[in-house]
Amino acid sequence: MVVTIFVDRNPKDLLASLFAWHDSTRFLPRVEWDHFFDSHLKGHTEYGSYPEFTRAWYEYKDEPWFYWTRYEDLKKDPRSSIKKIAEFLNRDLTAKQLDEVVHVTSFEYMKKNNESIKGRDFILRPKGVWQRKGAVGGWKNLFTVAQNEIFEKNYNERMKRLGIEHMKYKF
């Protein structure tokens, strides 16, 4: 059976990460933050607006082939999160296997080994990075106070309108 593991992420961090990705890749245009922020609110960035994208995937939440998790949970407790994913996949992992999966899926490991990514130089601009920081809360270094207020108002209204208000992130 084909499965989908959906990793949800704080929409503010997701936006900050997507903005950095624009700056790193050759195939996406570089754009100023203020313009990018405004475009995202209008749903004119990759994947449209976060609430609509999330709502589309939420339709599958009860399907047996679909697993929903959050990036913040993976960062906070990778061992427990990976164990739950393994259980969803009906895989029994030994303690040693679980340790190995935790190790090779850590942000630090992937960032250290990003040089091995096939086609890296074709995709990335000079000095571009495949993985940037992998942190939770990085949006705070990018959003202005006004942008934060605008984002939250827009986000809350859309989540309510789409009927998925119960899924809102607590910022």
Side-chain angles (χ1 to χ4, degrees), residues 1-7 57 60 64-68 88-89:
M1 169 184 359
V2 175
V3 300
T4 299
I5 298 174
F6 186 89
V7 181
W57 282 102
Y60 303 108
W65 49 265
F66 189 83
Y67 184 81
W68 188 293
F88 168 75
L89 296 171

Side-chain angles (χ1 to χ4, degrees), residues 43-101:
H44 298 154
T45 52
E46 290 73 19
Y47 314 110
S49 88
Y50 175 90
E52 281 81 6
F53 182 79
T54 302
R55 176 68 170 119
W57 282 102
Y58 184 71
E59 294 294 323
Y60 303 108
K61 70 177 176 36
D62 295 323
E63 295 293 335
W65 49 265
F66 189 83
Y67 184 81
W68 188 293
T69 190
R70 287 196 159 169
Y71 181 79
E72 293 78 10
D73 294 337
L74 288 163
K75 288 292 288 183
K76 183 178 180 181
D77 187 359
R79 185 175 197 79
S80 175
S81 296
I82 290 168
K83 191 171 184 180
K84 288 176 186 174
I85 292 169
E87 289 168 1
F88 168 75
L89 296 171
N90 293 318
R91 302 285 189 225
D92 291 323
L93 297 178
T94 65
K96 184 178 177 182
Q97 289 171 322
L98 184 56
D99 288 342
E100 181 67 12
V101 173

Side-chain angles (χ1 to χ4, degrees), residues 124-162:
L124 297 178
R125 289 187 171 106
K127 298 185 182 178
V129 294
W130 198 265
Q131 295 95 1
R132 194 170 58 98
K133 295 182 181 178
V136 172
W139 65 269
K140 296 172 186 173
N141 299 320
L142 194 56
F143 281 55
T144 65
V145 171
Q147 286 171 335
N148 185 47
E149 291 170 2
I150 291 166
F151 185 94
E152 286 193 21
K153 183 176 188 245
N154 178 284
Y155 172 77
N156 290 333
E157 288 172 358
R158 285 184 178 202
M159 294 295 279
K160 185 175 183 177
R161 180 173 40 90
L162 292 168

Side-chain angles (χ1 to χ4, degrees), residues 1 14 31 35 67 84 103-104 112 115 119 122 124 131 134:
M1 169 184 359
L14 181 119
V31 63
H35 175 74
Y67 184 81
K84 288 176 186 174
H103 173 68
V104 300
K112 181 179 142 203
E115 294 296 324
F122 175 74
L124 297 178
Q131 295 95 1

